[in-house]
Amino acid sequence: MVRMLAFAWGWIGLLSATLVFGAPSSDPAPSAVFTQPSFQFESALEGQAVEHDFLVQNKGNADLRIEKIKTG
């Protein structure tokens, strides 16, 4: 009986923490959504310019600022 009561209180505590800390924030925030998050270029000669356009959409409710881009 004591084990079941401790188990129940544990689940109640976990659920409470999830509701408090896991709740979505109402603060404005950007949300970048890429239609194609990665792209594999074909083989190219050294020094040959290659291009690809990545489309990004801001689905958030604040300005999206892209400050740094790096290749993988």
Side-chain angles (χ1 to χ4, degrees), residues 43-71:
S43 295
L45 297 174
E46 186 175 341
Q48 180 182 4
V50 292
E51 291 183 16
H52 180 74
D53 293 329
F54 288 92
L55 301 176
V56 61
Q57 183 178 14
N58 182 9
K59 295 265 186 165
N61 53 5
D63 290 342
L64 174 65
R65 293 177 47 192
I66 300 173
E67 298 178 349
K68 185 176 182 180
I69 297 174
K70 65 179 186 176
T71 61

Side-chain angles (χ1 to χ4, degrees), residues 13-58:
L14 182 62
L15 181 59
S16 299
T18 301
L19 292 174
V20 171
F21 297 109
S25 174
S26 61
D27 294 337
S31 177
V33 177
F34 292 85
T35 55
Q36 183 183 20
S38 65
F39 179 79
Q40 184 67 42
F41 284 98
E42 298 286 326
S43 295
L45 297 174
E46 186 175 341
Q48 180 182 4
V50 292
E51 291 183 16
H52 180 74
D53 293 329
F54 288 92
L55 301 176
V56 61
Q57 183 178 14
N58 182 9

